[in-house]
């Protein structure tokens, strides 16, 4: 099967990934992928915000490493992107980042539900204790909805990330999902099928089949990402992701070039 592009891959500049972009590209060629995209964790305005992203003064180096991968593998289409953290109030900073390089797309991700708690950070897992999961998910989806409203992002990353460690609300989360999806539909923002969830305690692709069925009904387009933090994770579980997309009624995925999208038919399964 032809696999769709892997649009979510990291580099060692984020301090928790291994392998140079050219090695990820070599792995993609091995798998028969025709296109990939690097979307490493973007710098924050303040480099001391946390310790799991590139510093601002490394942004040019990041772009150069992606360009080296392009030079090394001229037959592979390699997109230049960032996974950008969305927190309310960051919009001007994100616009500044957007103006600095010829990005193909931005993935907008919410990891933080306050200025100091990234809900997916294994070293902060104890912060889930004593919290009502529904309250955390509500803040998360409120911010994710805002992210989708900004038009700063082309793709929303790992949309139901709060499930990572298995802290799932007892309440019905459908209203949280439909509100976010209405915002995404309104701005033409895609959601990604992110296979990293299969490698985490939740053991499920982000987002869930229920979320994805709502996304399809809302006509929100999709992309695919492995969230690779090492070359051997490129394209991981993409066959399962394509099957999931098809089972939810999707027939196409999006490709991005210079922030413009085209819809491509999903490969047969
Ligand atoms: Zn990461
Ligand atoms: Zn992420």
């Amino acid at each position: 099967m032809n696999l769709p592009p892997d649009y979510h891959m990291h580099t060692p500049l984020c301090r928790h990934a291994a392998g140079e972009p050219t090695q990820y590209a070599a792995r993609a060629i091995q798998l028969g992928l025709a296109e990939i995209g690097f979307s490493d964790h973007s710098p924050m305005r303040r480099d001391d915000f946390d310790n799991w992203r590139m510093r601002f003064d490394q942004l040019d180096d990041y772009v150069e490493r992606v360009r080296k991968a392009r030079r090394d593998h001229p037959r592979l289409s390699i997109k230049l992107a960032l996974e950008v953290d969305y927190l309310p109030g960051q919009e001007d900073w994100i616009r500044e980042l957007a103006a600095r390089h010829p990005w193909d797309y931005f993935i907008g991700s919410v990891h933080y539900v306050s200025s100091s708690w990234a809900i997916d950070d294994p070293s902060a897992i104890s912060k889930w204790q004593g919290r009502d999961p529904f309250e955390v998910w509500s803040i998360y989806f409120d911010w994710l909805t805002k992210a989708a409203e900004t038009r700063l992002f082309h793709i929303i990353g790992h949309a139901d990330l709060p499930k990572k460690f298995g802290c799932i609300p007892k309440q019905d989360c459908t209203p949280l999902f439909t509100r976010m999806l209405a915002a995404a539909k309104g701005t033409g923002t895609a959601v990604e099928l992110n296979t990293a969830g299969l490698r985490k305690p939740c053991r499920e692709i982000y987002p869930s089949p229920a979320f994805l069925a709502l996304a399809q009904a809302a006509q929100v387009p999709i992309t695919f990402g492995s969230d690779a933090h090492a070359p051997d994770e490129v394209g991981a579980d993409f066959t399962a992701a394509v099957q999931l997309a098809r089972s939810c009624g999707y027939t196409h995925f999006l490709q991005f070039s210079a922030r413009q999208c085209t819809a491509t038919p999903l490969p047969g399964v």
Side-chain angles (χ1 to χ4, degrees), residues 200-227:
K200 307 298 183 200
C202 62
R203 299 271 167 209
E204 184 180 77
I205 288 172
Y206 306 113
S208 66
F211 183 106
L212 210 56
L214 292 168
Q216 198 278 334
Q219 298 178 297
V220 173
I222 52 168
T223 62
F224 293 83
S226 65
D227 216 336

Side-chain angles (χ1 to χ4, degrees), residues 34-51:
E35 182 166 289
I36 58 174
F38 288 92
S39 49
D40 206 1
H41 298 287
S42 68
M44 292 291 200
R45 192 184 286 282
R46 289 182 54 134
D47 285 325
D48 62 358
F49 184 84
D50 60 23
N51 62 359

Side-chain angles (χ1 to χ4, degrees), residues 8 10 41 52 83 109-111 120 157-158 161 192 194 227:
H8 196 147
H10 292 275
H41 298 287
W52 50 272
E83 181 184 15
S109 291
V110 172
H111 302 100
D120 64 324
H158 42 60
L161 183 66
E192 67 167 2
N194 181 315
D227 216 336

Side-chain angles (χ1 to χ4, degrees), residues 183-265:
K185 169 64 179 165
T187 53
T189 309
V191 296
E192 67 167 2
L193 274 76
N194 181 315
T195 59
L198 291 169
R199 311 191 292 273
K200 307 298 183 200
C202 62
R203 299 271 167 209
E204 184 180 77
I205 288 172
Y206 306 113
S208 66
F211 183 106
L212 210 56
L214 292 168
Q216 198 278 334
Q219 298 178 297
V220 173
I222 52 168
T223 62
F224 293 83
S226 65
D227 216 336
H229 285 69
D232 66 359
E233 292 173 347
V234 172
D237 296 303
F238 266 33
T239 304
V242 170
Q243 280 169 348
L244 173 61
R246 283 200 166 276
S247 73
C248 292
Y250 278 99
T251 57
H252 290 71
F253 63 88
L254 293 189
Q255 289 180 268
F256 286 93
S257 244
R259 292 160 311 247
Q260 301 299 313
C261 69
T262 51
T264 306

Side-chain angles (χ1 to χ4, degrees), residues 7-77:
Y7 271 180
H8 196 147
M9 306 192 309
H10 292 275
T11 82
L13 290 170
C14 71
R15 293 174 268 182
H16 62 279
E20 287 300 316
T22 194
Q23 295 172 275
Y24 288 65
R27 175 65 181 148
I29 290 167
Q30 229 175 35
L31 292 170
L33 295 187
E35 182 166 289
I36 58 174
F38 288 92
S39 49
D40 206 1
H41 298 287
S42 68
M44 292 291 200
R45 192 184 286 282
R46 289 182 54 134
D47 285 325
D48 62 358
F49 184 84
D50 60 23
N51 62 359
W52 50 272
R53 64 191 63 255
M54 70 182 84
R55 299 189 312 266
F56 178 60
D57 68 1
Q58 294 174 308
L59 193 62
D60 292 353
D61 183 17
Y62 169 63
V63 172
E64 179 45 37
R65 291 187 198 202
V66 174
R67 288 188 171 139
K68 178 179 180 346
R70 283 179 177 159
R71 288 194 298 274
D72 291 349
H73 306 282
R75 282 198 293 277
L76 180 66
S77 171

